[in-house]
Amino acid sequence: MTLDRFELRTPHVVFGPGSRADVPVEVDRLGGRRVLLVADAYQPGVIDDLVAVLGSRLAGRAGQIAQHVPVGLATATVEEADRIGADLVVSFGGGSATGLAKLVARERGLPIVAVPTTYAGSEMTPIWGQSEGQRKTTGRDPQVLPRTAIYDPELTLGMPAGLTAVSGMNAIAHAVESLYAPDVSPLVAVLAEEAIRSLASALPSCVDAPNDLAARSDALRGAWLAGLALGNTTMGLHHRLCHVLGGFGLPHGEVHAAVLPYAVAYNAAAAPAAMRRVAAALGVSGTPGAVDGRTAPAALWQLGRRLGTPVSLVAAGFDPALTDEVTALLLANPPANPRPVEADGVRDVLKAAVSGEVPAISS
């Protein structure tokens, strides 16, 4: 008899409006005395407040943040951590800030207190990534999983509509792909379905009314659950393809939003149970064809259009002339996936994403 084994890996979570005030509490709980602050420049006033409450605990700050964490930036930040004798990292911002903090943790074993301000979900995963030239490398290391994640919905108020949309669809991608991962557990499936439901319901209000705290809270809660689902499963075609594309400097959230419906369409026939859960979470399970989840890719495409995400992969910055190179890079290390990943299939996904049209189910 085959035994299933499962262990939920999660940071300590503090959630709620105003919870950013708990940053020094969590730093003290983890024994931090010389903090390196890794923060983006999105909310300078809030960062100034954070600097003030950290007080003498703050030993230094990372001076630069960049998408996909270039190797040179990571090296410089590790050197800064060494210079100040850091014993803990506080990351404040989107996935790029969290990603940079993770590389410090990977090299020096420092605990992280993460304060996310977008729906990236990186604060819930042991996944790290860095880029060099036109290549992005990712991996898993339990050492980079933050020890605490502080979710303050007030920090997402006023997030621009475009960033809200692509960050939210990125989070939905985490949840969708975890549902058909080879190591998905019943608990993760419940988390993922609830994540999709919360995000799909809340994101339109977040885009239309950026200061709607209730909608922002629901979206952030969905992002938390989506990141947790991804962190406890194996990534498939969608994430691996987006990481390859990220190596060419394409924007992270935009690429995830543009690729998602087509990667899901590629896998739909091979993962009918997962597609039914996605369709149900998106509220389209009662429509014709939903019995096998075939409405799920179209519903994801429709949600993206409603939110205003890029209409195609070209709109996200992709040059179709790179299709063969991207395909070769992905196939050099093919992901675990419900449907085998082959060259023609990857090209079809890219071609469909370039077209931007309603996805058709592959078989």
Side-chain angles (χ1 to χ4, degrees):
M1 186 175 82
T2 301
L3 299 178
D4 292 324
R5 299 184 184 276
F6 174 67
E7 178 183 358
L8 189 67
R9 298 173 294 275
T10 178
H12 175 73
V13 172
V14 182
F15 189 102
S19 58
R20 62 187 180 276
D22 262 24
V23 170
V25 175
E26 290 301 308
V27 168
D28 290 345
R29 186 177 69 84
L30 295 170
R33 296 293 180 266
R34 297 191 59 78
V35 172
L36 173 66
L37 175 61
V38 176
D40 60 30
Y42 176 55
Q43 300 189 44
V46 178
I47 296 170
D48 289 343
D49 292 342
L50 180 56
V51 168
V53 298
L54 284 172
S56 62
R57 304 174 186 85
L58 183 63
R61 295 177 61 173
Q64 185 181 357
I65 304 294
Q67 282 199 70
H68 308 300
V69 196
V71 168
L73 175 58
T75 299
T77 307
V78 170
E79 290 173 350
E80 175 64 8
D82 290 343
R83 186 187 71 80
I84 66 174
D87 58 10
L88 183 144
V89 184
V90 171
S91 66
F92 180 98
S96 297
T98 309
L100 181 54
K102 284 182 169 184
L103 290 179
V104 176
R106 179 170 176 253
E107 293 299 319
R108 295 295 181 262
L110 304 184
I112 301 171
V113 173
V115 187
T117 61
T118 68
Y119 307 128
S122 180
E123 69 285 344
M124 280 289 124
T125 79
I127 301 164
W128 58 268
Q130 61 183 3
S131 61
E132 187 171 23
Q134 292 186 327
R135 302 292 181 268
K136 182 171 181 178
T137 303
T138 62
R140 285 179 178 258
D141 186 337
Q143 193 161 253
V144 310
L145 180 68
R147 298 283 292 278
T148 296
I150 296 178
Y151 290 100
D152 187 342
E154 291 179 351
L155 296 176
T156 65
L157 295 177
M159 190 194 309
L163 177 57
T164 295
V166 298
S167 181
M169 290 301 289
N170 179 23
I172 288 175
H174 299 338
V176 170
E177 192 147 77
S178 69
L179 280 169
Y180 53 67
D183 48 359
V184 64
S185 71
L187 177 56
V188 166
V190 170
L191 294 173
E193 187 171 347
E194 179 56 30
I196 298 168
R197 183 176 293 109
S198 295
L199 285 157
S201 174
L203 285 171
S205 295
C206 294
V207 166
D208 295 343
N211 290 309
D212 184 336
L213 183 58
R216 290 291 187 184
S217 296
D218 287 344
L220 194 59
R221 185 175 291 105
W224 162 23
L225 299 180
L228 184 58
L230 179 69
N232 285 277
T233 51
T234 300
M235 293 184 291
L237 171 63
H238 171 82
H239 280 82
R240 188 67 60 80
L241 179 55
C242 289
H243 290 163
V244 171
L245 291 168
F248 291 88
L250 299 183
H252 184 77
E254 286 83 348
V255 166
H256 274 275
V259 169
L260 178 61
Y262 307 102
V264 172
Y266 179 85
N267 282 319
M275 292 302 104
R276 285 194 293 270
R277 298 191 81 141
V278 174
L282 292 170
V284 295
S285 58
T287 58
V291 65
D292 61 0
R294 288 174 179 258
T295 58
L300 289 166
W301 180 90
Q302 207 163 31
L303 178 60
R305 302 292 77 74
R306 166 67 179 85
L307 299 177
T309 59
V311 296
S312 71
L313 194 51
V314 171
F318 177 65
D319 179 357
L322 295 172
T323 294
D324 287 343
E325 184 175 357
V326 168
T327 300
L329 286 170
L330 190 142
L331 292 178
N333 184 21
N337 199 65
R339 177 182 172 186
V341 178
E342 301 169 342
D344 287 344
V346 176
R347 293 190 193 99
D348 287 345
V349 170
L350 288 169
K351 181 179 178 180
V354 164
S355 78
E357 296 178 358
V358 179
I361 301 299
S362 300
S363 59

